[in-house]
């Protein structure tokens, strides 16, 4: 699928904003659908195929964080949150719920376009594009990571849903076992030079990842914190 066929869902209760963003994104080659509330989001995502959601947090009735939680519980669809300027708490909560990026209002539409392109690049079959030499699967502890399918399964074959950020973070660790990686190095590996003030997402996504793969997330044995150094993946990794 090429960039021109990517299908975006823009969610905002303000019709003028939805229309302006829709027109702008269509001019840059995207298919765009619009939704004004959580009910329309559920209906639209259930009946259509999408590649990314642009989701406003501040909506009357059911807010964007609740909608974000529902989307993440049902799919790994990339999400970019639109937040009020200065509402850092909303951004952190949104990241904890699995959002891939955020942008504070008011914003330049070109910045949103750049964020969309960045997130889509990270989620567009990166198992092949970014890591062409990655073996079929990597085994560690009780897990099997399949970069070709971007899937994580336990030793019973049960699939564990990962967001794009969680997947890229885990892949960075399994490709560098036993090596201490700083936050900056993890940002470089997972996001390239596009990362700026978004570096706090590493901590949030690391916390979420630990909850999914560690026996006891409060005493992690797979992804260990190195004081003043960063993090190290201590599990033995084998290739399949």
């Amino acid at each position: 699928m090429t960039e021109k066929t990517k299908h975006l869902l823009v969610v905002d209760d303000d019709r003028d904003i939805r229309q302006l963003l829709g027109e702008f994104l269509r001019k840059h080659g995207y298919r765009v659908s619009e939704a004004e509330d959580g009910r329309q989001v559920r209906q639209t995502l259930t009946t259509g195929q999408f590649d990314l959601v642009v989701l406003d947090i501040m909506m009357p009735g059911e807010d964007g964080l609740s909608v974000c939680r529902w989307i993440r519980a049902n799919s790994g669809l990339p999400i970019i949150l639109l937040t009020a300027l200065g509402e850092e708490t909303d951004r952190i909560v949104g990241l904890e719920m699995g959002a891939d990026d955020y942008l504070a209002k008011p914003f330049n539409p070109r910045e949103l376009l750049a964020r969309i392109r960045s997130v889509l690049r990270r989620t567009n079959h990166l198992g092949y594009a970014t890591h062409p030499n990655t073996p079929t699967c990597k085994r560690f502890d009780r897990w099997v990571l399949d970069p070709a399918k971007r899937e994580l399964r336990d030793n019973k074959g049960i699939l564990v849903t990962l967001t794009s950020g969680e997947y890229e973070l885990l892949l960075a660790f399994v490709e560098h076992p036993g090596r201490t990686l700083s936050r900056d190095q993890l940002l470089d590996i997972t996001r390239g030079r596009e990362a700026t003030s978004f570096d706090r997402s590493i901590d949030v996504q690391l916390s979420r990842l630990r909850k999914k793969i560690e026996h006891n997330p409060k005493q992690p044995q797979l992804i260990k914190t190195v004081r003043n150094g960063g993090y190290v993946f201590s599990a033995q990794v084998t290739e399949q």
Side-chain angles (χ1 to χ4, degrees), residues 25-165:
L25 294 171
R26 289 184 188 100
K27 288 180 180 178
H28 287 83
Y30 293 100
R31 292 173 58 203
V32 181
S33 295
E34 301 169 11
E36 65 178 359
D37 56 27
R39 180 187 61 80
Q40 285 194 358
V41 169
R42 288 172 172 80
Q43 181 180 22
T44 304
L45 291 183
T46 301
T47 58
Q49 295 292 322
F50 290 85
D51 297 284
L52 182 143
V53 178
V54 178
L55 175 62
D56 185 34
I57 286 183
M58 298 296 292
M59 296 189 295
E62 183 181 16
D63 65 18
L65 291 176
S66 175
V67 176
C68 177
R69 185 188 299 111
W70 178 86
I71 295 173
R72 187 52 68 237
N74 289 277
S75 77
L77 191 64
I79 303 169
I80 296 179
L81 293 177
L82 303 181
T83 71
L85 185 63
E87 294 296 328
E88 184 175 6
T89 300
D90 284 346
R91 300 173 196 171
I92 294 174
V93 171
L95 292 175
E96 290 175 341
M97 289 182 179
D100 296 86
D101 205 342
Y102 65 78
L103 192 59
K105 289 183 174 182
F107 57 85
N108 187 318
R110 291 190 174 277
E111 183 175 0
L112 175 61
L113 178 64
R115 299 293 182 98
I116 289 172
R117 287 172 171 168
S118 175
V119 171
L120 287 176
R121 277 197 297 272
R122 298 199 305 268
T123 58
N124 186 27
H125 305 296
L126 289 180
Y128 291 116
T130 305
H131 308 279
N133 298 319
T134 301
T136 303
C137 293
K138 288 183 177 285
R139 290 180 174 272
F140 61 95
D141 194 55
R142 66 188 192 278
W143 303 103
V144 178
L145 183 68
D146 186 342
K149 296 180 180 179
R150 296 176 63 86
E151 290 182 349
L152 177 68
R153 295 181 182 271
D154 66 12
N155 52 16
K156 296 180 180 179
I158 298 175
L159 179 67
V160 176
T161 301
L162 298 177
T163 66
S164 62

